[in-house]
Amino acid sequence: MTDITLPAAPAPDILRRLVFARQFLEHAKAHMAGGTDLDFMIATHGADNAIEFLLKLIADHVRYEEVSGRALPETQLAKIVGELAKFLREKHGLTLPYIQEIKALRQVRNLVQHGSFTPGADIERQLTIAERFFARACTCFFRSEERRVGKECRS
């Protein structure tokens, strides 16, 4: 099986799931606007979910498992990021954007999830990172589908 040339338009199923990823992110932004500690905690989880979901969509889009012959880790974000970044670099000459920021967001999400931390106003920075990652991923991997995905989320 050969891999695809990137950026490439996503298959209909992947486009549908891109809309879901965008909706995760929009839901997180709505919670950030709520302004309470609970809203900030939910927004942190939403941003992290959107990023993980998008990473797995990128892997599906480039047929990671078919081309590499390996399964992507299910739950360990650092391993997902590492393996996907290596694959994209070796097979497509592309860099996965915001790797360190994605890993940092997961660390914050873990602290929030286990009750050790309330993100407060830092959630705005985290959501900015998630927004930039989404936009960059759409441009680099999905042939600028962000506008279409964003529009479909709002209709």
Side-chain angles (χ1 to χ4, degrees), residues 45-101:
H45 275 78
D48 181 76
N49 286 344
I51 288 172
E52 183 175 348
F53 199 79
L54 185 54
L55 287 166
K56 290 179 178 180
L57 284 173
I58 293 167
D60 288 351
H61 182 59
V62 299
R63 299 191 307 262
Y64 171 85
E65 291 186 4
E66 294 173 47
V67 174
S68 72
R70 296 185 311 269
L72 202 60
E74 286 292 317
T75 58
Q76 297 174 324
L77 187 71
K79 287 186 179 181
I80 292 169
V81 168
E83 288 189 30
L84 186 55
K86 180 180 177 188
F87 177 85
L88 291 169
R89 185 176 53 253
E90 290 175 357
K91 295 288 184 183
H92 298 281
L94 295 172
T95 302
L96 190 62
Y98 301 102
I99 291 175
Q100 295 308 316
E101 293 87 348

Side-chain angles (χ1 to χ4, degrees), residues 97-136:
Y98 301 102
I99 291 175
Q100 295 308 316
E101 293 87 348
I102 290 169
K103 290 179 180 179
L105 176 57
R106 174 53 61 100
Q107 289 174 339
V108 170
R109 195 266 349 204
N110 285 343
L111 290 172
V112 168
Q113 180 168 325
H114 299 292
S116 303
F117 184 71
T118 303
D122 191 49
I123 187 59
E124 188 171 347
R125 184 183 66 79
Q126 295 167 8
L127 284 170
T128 297
I129 291 165
E131 282 276 356
R132 288 178 181 165
F133 176 68
F134 193 96
R136 189 86 179 275

Side-chain angles (χ1 to χ4, degrees), residues 15 18-23 134 138 145-154:
L15 179 59
L18 269 171
V19 171
F20 292 156
R22 185 69 200 180
Q23 288 172 331
F134 193 96
C138 284
E145 289 291 332
E146 188 205 8
R147 278 182 235 139
R148 182 173 172 194
V149 169
K151 182 179 177 192
E152 289 180 17
C153 286
R154 290 174 185 80

